[in-house]
Amino acid sequence: MKTTAQVVVIGGGVVGCSVLYHLTKKGWSDVMLLERDQLTSGSTWHAAGGFHTLNGDPNVAMLQSYTVGLYKELEEISGQSCGLHLSAGIMLADTPERLEFLKTTVAKGRYLGMATEIISVQEAKTYFPFIEDQHFIGALLDPNEGHLDPSGTTYAYAKAAKLGGATIEVQTKAESLEQKPNGTWRVITNKGVVECEHVVNAGGLWAREVGRMVGIELPVLAMEHMYLVTDEIPEIGEYNRSTGKDIAHVIDFGAECYLRQEGKGIVLGAYEKACVPWSPKTTPWSFGQELLQPDLDRIALSLEVAFRHFPRLENAGIKRVINGPFTFAPDGNPLVGPVRGRTNFWSACGVMAGFSQGGGVGLALSNWMVDGDPGFDIWGMDVARYGDWATRTFTNAKVRENYSRRFSIRFPNEELPAGRPLQTTPLYDTFLAQGAVMGDSWGMETPLWFAPPGEKAEDIVSFHRSNDFEPIKAECLAVREAVGVTEIANFAKYEITGAGAEAWLLQVMTNTMPKQGRLMLTPMLNHQGKIIGDFTVAKAAEHRYMMWGSSQAQVNHMRWFEQTLPKDGSVKIEALGMKLIGLSIAGPNARALLQRLTDDDVLNEAFKFMDYREMEVATVKAQVNRVTYTGDLGYEIWVAPEYQRRLYGSIQAAGADLGLKNFGMRALLCLRLEKNFGTWYREFRPIYGPFEAGLDRFIKLDKPDFIGRVAAIKEKQDGPKRQRVFMVVDALDADVMGDEPIWVDGKVAGWVTSGGFGHFVNQSLAQGYLPTELVKPGVQLEIEILGERRPARLQMDPPFDPEAKRMRM
Ligand SMILES: Cc1cc2nc3c(=O)[nH]c(=O)nc-3n(C[C@H](O)[C@H](O)[C@H](O)COP(=O)(O)OP(=O)(O)OC[C@H]3O[C@@H](n4cnc5c(N)ncnc54)[C@H](O)[C@@H]3O)c2cc1C
């Protein structure tokens, strides 16, 4: 066995083999894969082999599309058949809500170039003849679905990788990992030691154990999963002969099951509510190519419904039942990328759909390792989307929830309960007592809206405007006409100190840095000149800066900061988490309210827009930013958590006669929309350049140097190819949610990034991206909402306070 390699990939399932192949494709040939048993001997060998391109996250969907398109190439290179059957797939709608969901899915797919369409039940029967019409009202057709041979596909990746120079060692278990002081790794195996620069964890069912070798607890859990294979059904052979096609892959949401052809029979697998985790704490190393004990009672409910929906199947005999484990992250998407705090230790695990996603995971990870960037927007799969709060038992609760809801609709206003409440602020109970409906913001409970007295504090889930519409309107109007208070604890907050702090900030951020006592807004770019962050920075003192950003990106951002900090220790950065939490007051009466709480002068001349000040508010030491995301006069007041209740109580008492009202996160998002403020993860993502995103004024190209400057100069010189736009929509009773296509002249020309109702301006609003040549006054737009194209128009200025006087009043 070789004793050195540039990369050691641990795990010979479909994912590890894909990573290995993609590394060789990128030109790294000194790469080695270690497999403790034989290739495929984790989850891979007993998979049902289905593949599809659809995913709730359009960026993950694109990588799935890549995976499905890859198999032909793989067969050609390796000479190994993947056993492809491109049978097409249909998803059956049994309720109006499900049909609406499928229409939004088709709409999302349009701008990704996917060929999905809504078809009638009659047409669906031409793909899957066993459907009993009366139970369904429509279907989605995806021509790019099918199934393959899991083992053949894994070996095809492995052969193609070997042809590219890779080495594969089977019966070779990585037993422990040691990092040397120079950052390189020693992989200790049962056959000796391999020294390498990079380690990839593609351990599948054992990914947690491999993570533990470097002291991390990855949020992954294996679940038992069952499918059965029926005896031959003569009609299938007849169908194959008469049409020349396989029977299509089917998802029946009502029965929570999937079906496809296998030989001349049917595979039927279910995602049952009564799901069962497998090896919740530790996966035994002794687990070989084994199956688990089937328990058909667990999926009896699914079978009962499926037999009602497809009666012909009820009498088909069962040839075999497979029960096997495979892994999930809490949200069901993979965990990919460099692990924060562990140099050159890469994650490629939690892949629950290895045959839809394995290719995309391999491609993105190999790009990341070789080029320093995944090359795509893979935020939805980044291992850094979870923090320490995603513990093993939290993961257990969330994975079970996710598994049992695999075929359930997730409505845009739906919050999922498992594992909650996890992190709460001192005001949690107070807000609940005041009618708050809480949402989960990356592990932290955040008030979304407040139900009026006497009304139930609960969302009625829907794709349409719902029971929160009027209460949110009242909250928005209170902010615009008087004053509102909201909790803003769910921001990421950082303190940056040291003699090198300013120089480092100037290097990683695009804007100049503020003077002492002032704030500055700044995007952050990667080396390719794409947006990877969006921050507010305050200079608190010489060599001390405070910074606020997106909480969900905190681990991702800390990983980037730690990579870019000078090695001489001249800069320190701390993510403050719950050490600093805040309340924001906003609206025309906000200054009067703040003045009642402090003996500092907060008049406009003394405390200007974009000022930062350390002061006492309600007798509490606070840091106050004169800025709010509402686009109104307002302040963010940051305090230590032990003072938050006092601060809130004082604000309530002092604001009673000023028209003070609580407002939640949903009102905040409506208010920012009226100002056309973008938001991280929707308008600002690593697929957009700063000029496309309209962030021109925060990009100081005349600064000596900063990361992404060269690419940003090029973007500016070439002119952005697309632009962020603001639109007013002629909506009926449903506003945009994000990811809807924008039509121009009967063609899909762009997409929506976010939107909703602007209650103060009384208009349905949307933001999105369009090709630059279409961004001109008078262009006729349509936005597809729930399957219907609604007229929309471009609006160049924000509808609320276009001259930005309110923030400065
Ligand atoms: C019943 C069932 C049906 C399924 N149906 C489908 C389907 O239709 N479509 C689909 O896309 N997916 C399906 N899946 C899921 C699919 O099997 C997984 O997504 C996929 O196999 C994950 O591959 P992996 O490479 O990440 O993990 P694994 O297949 O678990 O591979 C990990 C490998 O790493 C090795 N390993 C671990 N630790 C070490 C170590 N320390 N040293 C050396 N080697 C190590 C293991 O031996 C193993 O071979 C199904 C799964 C099950 C159980």
Side-chain angles (χ1 to χ4, degrees), residues 10-16 34-51 172-175 202-207 210 213 223 225-227 249 258 260 271 285 322-327 348-357:
I10 301 176
V14 65
V15 175
L34 307 182
E35 166 52 51
R36 56 171 203 118
D37 194 345
Q38 295 299 329
L39 296 185
T40 78
S41 58
S43 297
T44 298
W45 71 277
H46 49 55
F51 59 80
T172 309
K173 180 184 164 209
E175 294 187 323
L205 289 177
W206 294 267
V210 175
M213 292 178 192
M223 298 293 292
H225 180 67
M226 259 180 289
Y227 65 85
H249 194 280
Y258 60 87
R260 71 161 173 83
Y271 282 87
W285 291 108
I322 305 287
N323 184 13
F326 67 122
T327 55
C349 53
V351 185
M352 63 80 52
F355 300 96
S356 302
Q357 300 176 330

Side-chain angles (χ1 to χ4, degrees), residues 26 336-338 346 363-375 378 382-383 556 559:
K26 293 280 300 176
V336 180
W346 305 82
L363 175 68
L365 194 76
S366 61
N367 284 342
W368 216 335
M369 293 174 71
V370 176
D371 304 331
D373 186 86
I378 66 139
D382 192 336
V383 62
N556 179 309
R559 183 176 65 192

Side-chain angles (χ1 to χ4, degrees), residues 53-289:
T53 52
L54 295 171
N55 188 287
D57 181 328
N59 296 287
V60 178
M62 261 177 356
L63 286 171
Q64 293 189 182
S65 228
Y66 164 80
T67 305
V68 173
L70 181 69
Y71 293 127
K72 286 233 155 54
E73 165 187 324
L74 212 52
E75 286 184 333
E76 276 164 26
I77 297 174
S78 65
Q80 160 79 48
S81 165
C82 296
L84 280 184
H85 293 258
L86 199 62
S87 57
I90 51 175
M91 296 182 169
L92 292 166
D94 54 343
T95 62
E97 289 78 22
R98 180 57 69 184
L99 194 56
E100 285 188 332
F101 167 79
L102 293 181
K103 286 178 180 171
T104 64
T105 307
V106 168
K108 275 187 198 180
R110 284 196 213 285
Y111 72 80
L112 299 173
M114 289 184 179
T116 49
E117 58 179 305
I118 297 293
I119 57 171
S120 67
V121 179
Q122 281 315 313
E123 207 176 342
K125 281 179 83 163
T126 65
Y127 290 89
F128 192 79
F130 305 118
I131 295 170
E132 181 79 13
D133 311 24
Q134 57 182 330
H135 301 296
F136 300 103
I137 56 172
L140 178 152
L141 170 68
D142 179 2
N144 286 319
E145 278 192 39
H147 63 273
L148 45 65
D149 166 16
S151 177
T153 302
T154 307
Y155 277 92
Y157 276 123
K159 279 190 179 170
K162 277 190 185 170
L163 288 171
T167 323
I168 295 179
E169 295 290 340
V170 296
Q171 302 294 346
T172 309
K173 180 184 164 209
E175 294 187 323
S176 60
L177 293 166
E178 287 171 7
Q179 191 155 32
K180 300 206 296 195
N182 68 359
T184 60
W185 290 94
R186 278 166 54 81
V187 183
I188 293 99
T189 80
N190 54 329
K191 292 189 179 161
V193 176
V194 187
E195 307 244 357
C196 61
E197 287 170 38
H198 301 265
V199 172
V200 178
N201 176 2
L205 289 177
W206 294 267
R208 272 178 317 186
E209 284 65 26
V210 175
R212 286 173 193 157
M213 292 178 192
V214 300
I216 57 168
E217 188 66 33
L218 286 163
V220 195
L221 175 70
M223 298 293 292
E224 292 193 15
H225 180 67
M226 259 180 289
Y227 65 85
L228 55 85
V229 186
T230 71
D231 287 333
E232 282 194 12
I233 301 175
E235 290 92 322
I236 294 181
E238 284 159 29
Y239 177 93
N240 296 156
R241 270 191 301 281
S242 62
T243 63
K245 293 189 302 191
D246 275 359
I247 281 189
H249 194 280
V250 166
I251 289 178
D252 176 0
F253 296 101
E256 307 199 300
C257 72
Y258 60 87
L259 305 97
R260 71 161 173 83
Q261 182 171 342
E262 168 80 15
K264 298 291 177 225
I266 290 282
V267 159
L268 189 161
Y271 282 87
E272 68 279 17
K273 289 271 179 280
C275 55
V276 177
W278 179 73
S279 291
K281 286 188 178 162
T282 308
T283 307
W285 291 108
S286 57
F287 189 72
Q289 285 211 352

Side-chain angles (χ1 to χ4, degrees), residues 3-45:
T3 54
T4 62
Q6 189 177 1
V7 181
V8 166
V9 177
I10 301 176
V14 65
V15 175
C17 291
S18 168
V19 171
L20 195 73
Y21 164 66
H22 281 90
L23 283 170
T24 60
K25 201 173 166 189
K26 293 280 300 176
W28 281 15
S29 54
D30 185 14
V31 292
M32 186 174 185
L33 184 143
L34 307 182
E35 166 52 51
R36 56 171 203 118
D37 194 345
Q38 295 299 329
L39 296 185
T40 78
S41 58
S43 297
T44 298
W45 71 277

